[in-house]
Amino acid sequence: MAQENTGERAKLLAILPFPEPDGFISRIESRHPWLKVVWVHQSYGITTWDANEKIDEGLFKDATILTTLSAIPKPHLAPALKFIQLLPAGVDHLLAEPIFQKEDVQIATTSGIHAPQIAEWVILQILAFAHHFRYLSARQDEGRWVSHGELKSTAGPVRDMTSNRVGILGYGSIGRQIARVCHSMGAQILAFTASPRPTPESRYDSGFCLPGTGDQEGRLPVAWFDGLDKASIHNFLRQDLDVLVACLPLTEKSRHLIGEEELEVLGERGSNGLGSGTLLINVARGQIIDQAALIESLKKPVVSGGLRGAALDVTDPEPLPRGNELWSLPNVVVNPHVSGLTDQHEKRYLAVLEKNLARWEKGEPLLNLVNKKKGY
Amino acid sequence: MAQENTGERAKLLAILPFPEPDGFISRIESRHPWLKVVWVHQSYGITTWDANEKIDEGLFKDATILTTLSAIPKPHLAPALKFIQLLPAGVDHLLAEPIFQKEDVQIATTSGIHAPQIAEWVILQILAFAHHFRYLSARQDEGRWVSHGELKSTAGPVRDMTSNRVGILGYGSIGRQIARVCHSMGAQILAFTASPRPTPESRYDSGFCLPGTGDQEGRLPVAWFDGLDKASIHNFLRQDLDVLVACLPLTEKSRHLIGEEELEVLGERGSNGLGSGTLLINVARGQIIDQAALIESLKKPVVSGGLRGAALDVTDPEPLPRGNELWSLPNVVVNPHVSGLTDQHEKRYLAVLEKNLARWEKGEPLLNLVNKKKGY
């Protein structure tokens, strides 16, 4: 939205879990003289937040732009608010916030900035399973040099990625970077999206993408699938997948997208003796998967239709309670929602914020603008 | 070498650690009617081998072509031998064999067929260090969901590959596939070769390369380095490397290429406070590195010039003896020479053998022909 020069500066309120990066305010204010920046260092680790208790409500009153992890005001506290640049890449934690439904408030995520490290986490898990990392680590702990024969008979053969078919549920920025790396290792990529992508234009991802990463043009998949009805999902799950990665947004439609039936469909591969079982990886949200059904599938042998294994960076609920069976299943990796961590995070978030301030000033469409109807 | 039709068939003797793949002999004999194939299934796991004890010497007598893991005859036993297609990718175990020095015996390796899985093993190790896989695995064993703060203060921050500089010592098929995958994750690649590669032609790798993998044209490195003298090596090691991968052949010149002095040069990065220490990865041969010096460097803190860590698929000697310090250093991964394992191995080896039989028939230069002067 182009700004008129009214003599009064609009307020950009930043409530963030880190202090102002060196020179940020002066850089932004000199680049955008119509803006006044107020930076509030919010202590880290807060994922839900009550503005009334933790922060001076008055800060929101005259803010035109807000950028934050989770300090979302009630609408009456922020009458001037027009644009929220979120620090997170997803908005599921905001769906219940009334301000989310206000038509004149644009909300942008940082979708895309987490893609490199989350893709790395996924690749790490795929390779750790394929190359028996934990088995070999335990042998190292014993100080014992195992033979190839013992490795093979105990842990199984190594299947490298050149023979793998990798299904990607949700072909956004994260899925595309997973695809890029898997493709570079010789794997075949199969993409699944909610809506059909029949044309080059529809396959293009216009969100933030770090140069040299991802698959912005959607050129890597050997096949595309779509549709959120059971038949469409099941058809995708029947594509002989060695690996299935969930990296789609959590919405009402994707909640328990992978349930008992879907796990059974995935298991047909093993029970038909056609493959070695699917490795299921979740870097989306725990609720995408029916966790009780997942646990049952992980306890079944592959030849009886069980999964090969699972690598879960997200669980339902979080933290995963002590004593939950997932912690101790031998074919499961559980991590405490860490795949998005990187020391490059702040740098990339600032890149998105600065791009969007420039777009806002010129009245251009914002990068990573949330579609409120779709909920992501 | 073009074959005259003398009415008598030349013998291809295969002494290999697996049984004849379905239809192999009939396929080869119908494709090359001048060839008669004899297949001997050698039991697995033999890496040095005395032909006199284990096999009927007479088998070698009339063999024109031999393909084997390590069943190398003394020259007088194989007077007709013209071409050895090795199953291994390296020839260091053969340098002492008299037949290696016979001018009229061409020796080809399977260099290139191990690149996909060895590169995967290397990527796995890089990511396991960067994303604290072993630390998080231990927390999973405790059934404990650690906070981001605890992870960071205990294990350190996650540095993703987008900020990494990866030095590759030996830019052959394995180094090129490591480069491809690291590059797809946004890392910068620095290549080191024994001889200079100033031109596009000199950067081209004519060896076997699985389509869709590697960097046959040598386009990925941001910088090339060469020379086996100390000054050249040290210059390369001073390039602010987050990761250094040794994937060069073992020769008299590369033995202990990384010694005490070189580890000190690598350590300057940490002791100058300029970086977070280098991760050293060895998938070549244990003797490339002076192991005693390596252990000392791994025991030093990074700020005192120590390495960040090491991932070793090869050691000196092998097996690594029980009780060796490497087994228990917390910043070391030791694997029992397994990075080359894959269930795709036999398929790719046969692809090289068949390509070379076709080249031999047409008198074309063999793929992966060993340069006996260089020793690889």
Side-chain angles (χ1 to χ4, degrees):
Chain A
M1 190 171 299
Q3 298 294 310
E4 292 167 44
N5 184 357
T6 60
E8 199 165 316
R9 292 193 292 167
K11 182 162 121 185
L12 163 61
L13 174 61
I15 305 181
L16 288 162
F18 44 87
E20 184 213 339
D22 272 355
F24 175 79
I25 293 178
S26 61
R27 185 168 72 248
I28 295 301
E29 292 187 348
S30 76
R31 196 181 293 161
H32 307 292
W34 52 275
L35 260 186
K36 174 180 165 52
V37 181
V38 175
W39 191 286
V40 179
H41 178 187
Q42 175 194 37
S43 65
Y44 190 63
I46 297 169
T47 52
T48 58
W49 191 77
D50 181 340
N52 295 317
E53 281 182 26
K54 303 278 171 67
I55 221 159
D56 174 12
E57 284 180 7
L59 278 171
F60 293 113
K61 197 176 158 192
D62 56 347
T64 303
I65 303 175
L66 169 66
T67 183
T68 188
L69 168 64
S70 55
I72 307 298
K74 301 298 168 210
H76 72 277
L77 294 176
L81 199 60
K82 297 291 176 220
F83 163 34
I84 303 176
Q85 173 63 60
L86 292 168
L87 179 61
V91 288
D92 53 293
H93 65 300
L94 281 185
L95 290 174
E97 289 290 341
I99 211 159
F100 189 79
Q101 295 311 326
K102 271 193 77 179
E103 270 184 29
D104 62 343
V105 179
Q106 297 192 66
I107 299 179
T109 67
T110 54
S111 177
I113 75 169
H114 301 280
Q117 69 270 23
I118 295 181
E120 287 182 15
W121 189 93
V122 169
I123 302 305
L124 168 58
Q125 305 305 327
I126 296 174
L127 296 179
F129 271 89
H131 292 261
H132 308 305
F133 188 93
R134 289 195 293 176
Y135 173 86
L136 288 164
S137 191
R139 300 298 78 72
Q140 178 178 347
D141 291 343
E142 296 165 6
R144 196 159 69 80
W145 185 276
V146 292
S147 69
H148 291 180
E150 182 178 344
L151 172 64
K152 192 174 170 184
S153 65
T154 313
V158 172
R159 292 194 62 219
D160 71 42
M161 292 292 284
T162 64
S163 66
N164 269 217
R165 289 165 65 83
V166 179
I168 301 183
L169 262 174
Y171 206 61
S173 60
I174 294 167
R176 286 165 194 249
Q177 176 58 4
I178 294 166
R180 188 189 192 96
V181 183
C182 287
H183 184 263
S184 79
M185 296 192 287
Q188 286 195 325
I189 308 302
L190 297 92
F192 185 94
T193 55
S195 42
R197 308 284 180 111
T199 61
E201 295 71 33
S202 66
R203 291 176 181 180
Y204 189 85
D205 181 12
S206 59
F208 177 79
C209 179
L210 201 71
T213 69
D215 177 26
Q216 203 147 23
E217 297 187 341
R219 288 189 180 170
L220 297 179
V222 293
W224 292 74
F225 299 82
D226 64 83
L228 286 174
D229 58 294
K230 288 256 173 204
S232 301
I233 301 280
H234 291 189
N235 179 44
F236 180 60
L237 301 180
R238 283 204 178 91
Q239 300 302 315
D240 194 28
L241 304 175
D242 298 279
V243 178
L244 174 65
V245 187
C247 46
L248 72 174
L250 177 65
T251 63
E252 275 314 314
K253 284 182 180 168
S254 65
R255 195 177 307 269
H256 285 203
L257 188 74
I258 305 292
E260 192 180 340
E261 279 180 77
E262 289 67 38
L263 292 163
E264 268 173 27
V265 173
L266 274 178
E268 288 169 9
R269 188 167 185 261
S271 57
N272 292 343
L274 294 175
S276 57
T278 302
L279 172 65
L280 177 56
I281 300 183
N282 192 359
V283 286
R285 290 289 181 265
Q287 291 178 51
I288 298 280
I289 302 177
D290 175 344
Q291 196 161 287
L294 173 66
I295 290 172
E296 290 315 305
S297 175
L298 287 162
K299 287 157 76 176
K300 267 192 275 188
V302 167
V303 292
S304 310
L307 291 170
R308 173 158 59 104
L312 309 170
D313 188 46
V314 290
T315 58
D316 181 18
E318 291 181 13
L320 185 68
R322 276 186 187 263
N324 185 293
E325 260 185 298
L326 280 177
W327 286 117
S328 53
L329 290 176
N331 55 349
V332 175
V333 166
V334 179
N335 270 196
H337 206 144
V338 295
S339 65
L341 295 180
T342 173
D343 63 358
Q344 305 295 308
H345 180 249
E346 192 179 309
K347 185 173 139 191
R348 280 189 219 130
Y349 150 72
L350 291 172
V352 174
L353 173 63
E354 293 185 29
K355 273 179 197 284
N356 267 343
L357 291 177
R359 288 181 175 219
W360 174 266
E361 179 172 290
K362 292 184 200 149
E364 290 174 3
L366 298 177
L367 206 56
N368 293 330
L369 187 64
V370 172
N371 179 323
K372 295 182 185 180
K373 276 191 194 143
K374 287 188 178 173
Y376 61 89
Chain B
M1 193 170 298
Q3 298 294 310
E4 292 166 44
N5 183 358
T6 60
E8 199 166 316
R9 293 193 292 167
K11 181 161 123 187
L12 163 61
L13 175 61
I15 305 182
L16 288 162
F18 45 86
E20 184 213 341
D22 271 356
F24 175 79
I25 292 178
S26 61
R27 184 168 75 249
I28 295 301
E29 292 188 347
S30 76
R31 196 181 291 162
H32 307 292
W34 53 275
L35 260 186
K36 174 179 163 56
V37 180
V38 176
W39 190 285
V40 179
H41 178 186
Q42 175 194 36
S43 64
Y44 190 64
I46 297 169
T47 51
T48 58
W49 191 76
D50 181 340
N52 296 317
E53 281 183 26
K54 301 278 173 64
I55 222 158
D56 174 12
E57 284 181 6
L59 277 170
F60 293 114
K61 197 176 158 193
D62 56 348
T64 304
I65 303 175
L66 169 67
T67 183
T68 187
L69 168 64
S70 55
I72 307 297
K74 302 295 169 212
H76 72 275
L77 294 176
L81 199 59
K82 298 289 177 223
F83 163 34
I84 304 176
Q85 173 64 59
L86 292 168
L87 179 61
V91 289
D92 53 294
H93 65 301
L94 281 185
L95 291 173
E97 288 290 340
I99 210 161
F100 188 78
Q101 296 310 327
K102 270 193 77 179
E103 268 184 30
D104 62 343
V105 179
Q106 297 193 66
I107 300 180
T109 67
T110 55
S111 176
I113 75 168
H114 301 281
Q117 69 271 21
I118 295 181
E120 288 182 15
W121 189 92
V122 169
I123 302 303
L124 168 58
Q125 305 307 327
I126 295 174
L127 297 179
F129 271 90
H131 292 260
H132 309 303
F133 188 94
R134 289 195 293 175
Y135 173 85
L136 288 164
S137 191
R139 300 297 78 72
Q140 178 177 348
D141 291 344
E142 296 166 6
R144 196 159 70 81
W145 185 276
V146 291
S147 69
H148 291 181
E150 183 178 344
L151 172 65
K152 192 173 169 184
S153 65
T154 314
V158 172
R159 291 195 62 220
D160 71 43
M161 293 291 284
T162 64
S163 65
N164 270 217
R165 289 165 65 85
V166 179
I168 302 183
L169 262 175
Y171 206 61
S173 60
I174 294 167
R176 285 164 194 249
Q177 175 59 4
I178 294 166
R180 188 188 192 97
V181 183
C182 287
H183 185 264
S184 80
M185 295 192 287
Q188 287 195 324
I189 308 303
L190 297 92
F192 184 94
T193 55
S195 42
R197 309 284 180 113
T199 62
E201 295 70 33
S202 67
R203 290 176 182 182
Y204 189 84
D205 181 12
S206 59
F208 178 78
C209 179
L210 202 71
T213 69
D215 176 27
Q216 203 147 23
E217 297 188 340
R219 288 188 180 173
L220 297 179
V222 293
W224 292 75
F225 299 81
D226 63 84
L228 286 173
D229 58 294
K230 288 257 174 203
S232 302
I233 301 279
H234 291 188
N235 179 43
F236 180 61
L237 300 180
R238 283 204 177 91
Q239 299 303 314
D240 193 27
L241 304 175
D242 297 280
V243 179
L244 174 65
V245 187
C247 46
L248 72 173
L250 178 65
T251 64
E252 275 314 314
K253 284 183 180 168
S254 64
R255 195 176 309 270
H256 285 201
L257 187 74
I258 305 292
E260 191 180 343
E261 278 181 78
E262 288 68 36
L263 291 163
E264 268 173 28
V265 173
L266 274 178
E268 289 169 8
R269 188 167 184 262
S271 57
N272 291 342
L274 294 176
S276 57
T278 302
L279 173 65
L280 177 56
I281 300 184
N282 192 359
V283 286
R285 291 289 181 264
Q287 290 177 53
I288 298 280
I289 301 176
D290 175 345
Q291 197 162 285
L294 173 65
I295 290 171
E296 290 316 306
S297 174
L298 288 162
K299 286 157 77 177
K300 266 192 274 187
V302 166
V303 292
S304 309
L307 291 170
R308 173 158 59 105
L312 309 170
D313 188 45
V314 291
T315 58
D316 181 19
E318 291 181 15
L320 185 68
R322 276 185 187 263
N324 185 293
E325 258 185 300
L326 279 177
W327 287 117
S328 54
L329 290 176
N331 54 348
V332 174
V333 166
V334 179
N335 271 196
H337 206 144
V338 295
S339 66
L341 295 181
T342 173
D343 63 357
Q344 306 296 308
H345 180 248
E346 191 178 309
K347 185 172 138 191
R348 280 189 219 131
Y349 151 73
L350 291 171
V352 174
L353 173 63
E354 294 185 30
K355 273 178 197 283
N356 266 343
L357 291 177
R359 288 182 174 217
W360 174 266
E361 179 172 291
K362 292 184 201 150
E364 291 173 3
L366 297 177
L367 206 56
N368 293 332
L369 187 65
V370 172
N371 179 323
K372 295 181 185 180
K373 276 192 194 141
K374 287 188 178 174
Y376 60 89

